[in-house]
């Protein structure tokens, strides 16, 4: 990657106007949004005798707002994203600190996590937006690492020098990752912490650091996961001392033994398994429910899909996700630019983890977490973050081959450039010693 990723083949694609928007990504996301609206309508209106349109209409509003963010993000080019990364990261960290102080007491009581701001009936989860701001920072770090490797003739040095160089770079990435991870852990949100960890791992692997470092890291992560699972099953006192809570162990117990305590901790998972299984091959049809599943419209939305549309409907949803992820990988592959490759890798890894975890927990393969199904689960914060990521990916092709003069004709680009230029001259100078 160190040799190829510095090129800008993506800027020389010679794309025609109608080719600048990746239709495959747009179509798959649109279909997933339609599936979301149908599933939420089925769950909140058809399922209840006194059902309301409120949740479905609210989801439409969030999709409209998210689409606006995606369109604005599509207009921004690499230079703007690159310069905005530090100020965006700093803003994200500020949000994570503030939510620890001004969190919604009601949501904390309901979810067990101090992760939401609340203004009246409106709630906002800042950690969702920070995922996007974090991946921008990772993309900048890797891109700068590539520049430094080229400037210092990395390939001409000894293995010992390369290992020292790469370890220093991984140390930087780890520092920038540990800060949001620590703040999210303080919120009591283990699921989001895992998302940051997965994104960090993907960025390290794609950065091109020496395999002599990558292999031990991979082995270490596997060993840590194995030890955590071992202690969770056989000796929980060790994990209690590390800060784990009873509700987290309850989720592990419900995962390992979903039908042992169906009146309490295992109730949600056991009901989800019954609902999905009862859908059989073709499903029961829209609005036809026989099994009650808590929070079916958000985290457990896959249970609605499985019960209403059966194996066929669930398979179509998973196929759409596969096409969606594959197409984004193809977009990144065509750019040969380390900033875009790293950013899209973080997006793909994040979405893949969300999909695997959400579907996995719904069918009993993975422990329950508060991880939503991208574009399908109800929730405004997650939708805005998802759509920002889509706009970021679409901006690669949309701005390919355009000169700086052409880009600056857009008022959005000019405004963001002014902000990013201010960031470069103020915030970035103070952060440069860490970069």
């Amino acid at each position: 990657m160190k040799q190829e990723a510095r090129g800008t083949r993506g800027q020389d694609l010679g794309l025609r106007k109608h080719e600048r928007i990746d239709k495959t990504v747009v179509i798959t996301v649109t279909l997933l949004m339609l599936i979301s609206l149908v599933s939420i309508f089925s769950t909140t209106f058809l399922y209840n005798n006194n059902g309301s349109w409120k949740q479905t209409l609210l989801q439409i509003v969030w999709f409209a707002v998210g689409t606006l963010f995606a369109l604005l993000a599509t207009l921004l080019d690499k230079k703007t994203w690159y310069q905005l990364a530090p100020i965006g990261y700093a803003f994200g960290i500020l949000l994570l600190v503030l939510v620890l102080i001004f969190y919604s007491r009601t949501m904390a009581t309901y979810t067990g996590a101090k992760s939401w701001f609340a203004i009246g009936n409106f709630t906002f989860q800042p950690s969702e937006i920070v995922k996007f701001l974090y991946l921008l920072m990772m993309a900048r770090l890797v891109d700068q690492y590539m520049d430094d490797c080229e400037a210092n003739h990395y390939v001409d040095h000894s293995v010992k020098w390369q290992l020292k160089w790469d370890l220093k770079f991984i140390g930087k990435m780890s520092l920038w990752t540990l800060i949001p991870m620590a703040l999210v852990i303080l919120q009591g949100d283990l699921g989001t912490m895992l998302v940051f960890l997965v994104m960090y791992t993907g960025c390290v692997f794609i950065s091109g650091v020496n395999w002599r470092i990558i292999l031990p890291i991979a082995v270490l992560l596997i060993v840590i996961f194995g030890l955590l699972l071992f202690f969770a099953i056989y000796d929980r006192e060790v994990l209690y001392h590390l800060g784990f809570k009873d509700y987290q162990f309850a989720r592990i117990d419900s995962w390992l033994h979903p039908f042992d305590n169906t009146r309490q901790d295992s109730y949600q998972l056991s009901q989800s398994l019954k609902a999905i299984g009862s859908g059989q091959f073709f499903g029961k049809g829209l609005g036809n429910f026989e099994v009650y599943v808590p929070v079916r419209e958000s985290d457990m939305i896959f249970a609605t899909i499985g019960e209403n549309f059966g194996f066929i409907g669930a398979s179509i949803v998973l196929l759409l996700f596969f096409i969606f992820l594959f197409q984004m990988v193809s977009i990144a592959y065509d750019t040969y630019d380390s900033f875009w490759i790293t950013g899209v890798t973080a997006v793909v890894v994040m979405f893949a983890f969300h999909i695997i975890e959400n579907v996995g927990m719904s069918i009993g393969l993975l422990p329950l977490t508060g991880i939503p199904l991208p574009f399908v689960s109800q929730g405004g914060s997650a939708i805005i973050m998802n759509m920002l990521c889509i706009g970021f990916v679409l901006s690669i092709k949309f701005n390919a081959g355009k000169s700086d003069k052409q880009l600056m004709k857009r008022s959005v680009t000019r405004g963001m450039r002014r902000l990013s230029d201010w960031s470069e001259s103020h915030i970035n100078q103070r952060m440069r010693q860490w970069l």
Side-chain angles (χ1 to χ4, degrees):
M1 179 178 171
K2 287 186 176 64
Q3 297 299 323
E4 293 180 342
R6 298 310 311 151
T8 55
R9 178 180 160 184
Q11 303 298 321
D12 300 317
L13 293 176
L15 298 175
R16 298 176 182 177
K17 187 174 183 179
H18 69 278
E19 296 175 328
R20 292 188 179 278
I21 297 295
D22 194 287
K23 296 181 179 62
T24 302
V25 172
V26 173
I27 291 172
T28 52
V29 170
T30 302
L31 290 175
L32 289 169
M33 289 194 296
L34 290 174
I35 290 171
S36 171
L37 295 176
V38 170
S39 299
I40 291 174
F41 175 74
S42 177
T43 303
T44 60
F45 183 80
L46 298 179
Y47 181 49
N48 299 308
N49 293 328
N50 297 316
S52 169
W53 284 82
K54 180 180 178 181
Q55 301 300 329
T56 305
L57 293 175
L58 187 60
Q59 189 78 344
I60 292 173
V61 171
W62 283 122
F63 279 138
V65 174
T67 300
L68 177 61
F69 274 96
L71 292 173
L72 294 175
T74 302
L75 297 175
L76 303 183
D77 60 305
K78 174 187 172 179
K79 180 180 178 181
T80 307
W81 285 125
Y82 184 90
Q83 293 183 342
L84 283 174
I87 191 173
Y89 177 88
F91 176 69
I93 297 302
L94 177 62
L95 287 178
L96 293 181
V97 172
L98 291 176
V99 78
L100 287 171
I101 304 171
F102 303 106
Y103 64 91
S104 168
R105 271 58 179 175
T106 302
M107 291 296 292
T109 302
Y110 179 68
T111 65
K114 304 172 184 178
S115 303
W116 282 266
F117 291 115
I119 304 175
N121 293 326
F122 172 77
T123 59
F124 171 68
Q125 188 176 9
S127 58
E128 289 292 336
I129 306 301
V130 176
K131 293 175 188 176
F132 175 71
L133 302 176
Y134 167 78
L135 73 86
L136 289 180
M137 195 64 186
M138 290 298 102
R140 176 179 171 121
L141 286 172
V142 173
D143 192 66
Q144 203 159 50
Y145 164 72
M146 291 294 179
D147 283 336
D148 292 340
C149 285
E150 187 174 342
N152 288 273
H153 306 287
Y154 177 94
V155 295
D156 297 331
H157 287 276
S158 65
V159 172
K160 183 178 179 180
W161 185 94
Q162 291 178 0
L163 291 175
K164 184 178 179 180
W165 178 271
D166 287 347
L167 283 171
K168 183 179 179 182
F169 165 67
I170 291 178
K172 288 182 179 180
M173 291 189 70
S174 300
L175 175 63
W176 292 107
T177 303
L178 286 173
I179 296 173
M181 280 182 60
L183 291 171
V184 168
I185 291 173
L186 290 175
Q187 295 173 17
D189 190 350
L190 180 62
T192 300
M193 184 276 289
L194 292 175
V195 175
F196 280 109
L197 180 59
V198 168
M199 293 169 68
Y200 164 78
T201 304
C203 291
V204 170
F205 272 75
I206 202 67
S207 65
V209 299
N210 197 296
W211 66 270
R212 294 175 180 85
I213 297 176
I214 292 292
L215 185 60
I217 291 177
V219 173
L220 178 63
L221 290 175
I222 294 172
V223 170
I224 291 174
F225 175 79
L227 287 174
L228 289 175
L229 185 59
F230 174 83
F231 287 124
I233 297 173
Y234 298 107
D235 191 358
R236 293 184 174 176
E237 287 300 321
V238 175
L239 298 182
Y240 275 121
H241 289 303
L242 293 177
F244 282 76
K245 307 297 182 183
D246 285 329
Y247 78 91
Q248 294 168 335
F249 291 123
R251 290 181 176 182
I252 294 175
D253 289 335
S254 66
W255 167 50
L256 296 173
H257 310 288
F259 295 101
D260 282 3
N261 189 14
T262 56
R263 291 188 177 183
Q264 295 182 18
D265 299 327
S266 299
Y267 179 72
Q268 188 178 37
L269 176 57
S270 62
Q271 292 299 99
S272 175
L273 292 172
K274 291 176 185 177
I276 294 173
S278 68
Q280 298 186 35
F281 199 75
F282 293 105
K284 301 172 184 175
L286 186 66
N288 293 319
F289 298 95
E290 296 176 358
V291 182
Y292 170 73
V293 182
V295 294
R296 191 193 274 266
E297 70 280 2
S298 55
D299 293 346
M300 308 305 290
I301 194 73
F302 195 74
T304 292
I305 296 170
E307 188 171 4
N308 282 183
F309 307 109
F311 176 81
I312 293 295
S315 297
I316 291 174
V317 171
L318 294 179
L319 178 61
L320 287 174
F321 276 125
F322 174 79
I323 295 171
F324 167 68
L325 294 176
F326 180 83
Q327 187 62 21
M328 287 199 295
V329 171
S330 300
I331 292 173
Y333 178 80
D334 284 338
T335 66
Y336 281 84
D337 182 279
S338 57
F339 179 83
W340 290 126
I341 291 174
T342 306
V344 177
T345 296
V347 170
V348 170
V349 169
M350 178 191 66
F351 278 137
F353 180 78
H354 272 251
I355 295 163
I356 293 171
E357 172 57 32
N358 183 276
V359 175
M361 74 180 187
S362 299
I363 60 177
L365 292 180
L366 294 170
L368 288 171
T369 61
I371 299 292
L373 189 61
F375 308 105
V376 181
S377 292
Q378 181 190 54
S381 305
I383 288 173
I384 290 177
M385 184 275 295
N386 293 339
M387 297 304 285
L388 278 171
C389 290
I390 295 305
F392 174 77
V393 174
L394 293 179
S395 69
I396 299 174
K397 276 189 176 182
F398 188 78
N399 297 300
K402 292 190 176 181
S403 66
D404 204 58
K405 184 177 181 181
Q406 290 175 307
L407 294 171
M408 290 298 287
K409 290 181 179 179
R410 304 169 185 160
S411 57
V412 174
T413 304
R414 288 198 304 272
M416 290 296 100
R417 282 285 185 89
R418 291 191 185 102
L419 179 61
S420 64
D421 288 341
W422 178 86
S423 171
E424 282 290 313
S425 61
H426 291 79
I427 294 180
N428 293 359
Q429 286 182 3
R430 298 183 181 182
M431 301 170 70
R432 199 173 301 280
Q433 58 178 324
W434 299 101
L435 297 175

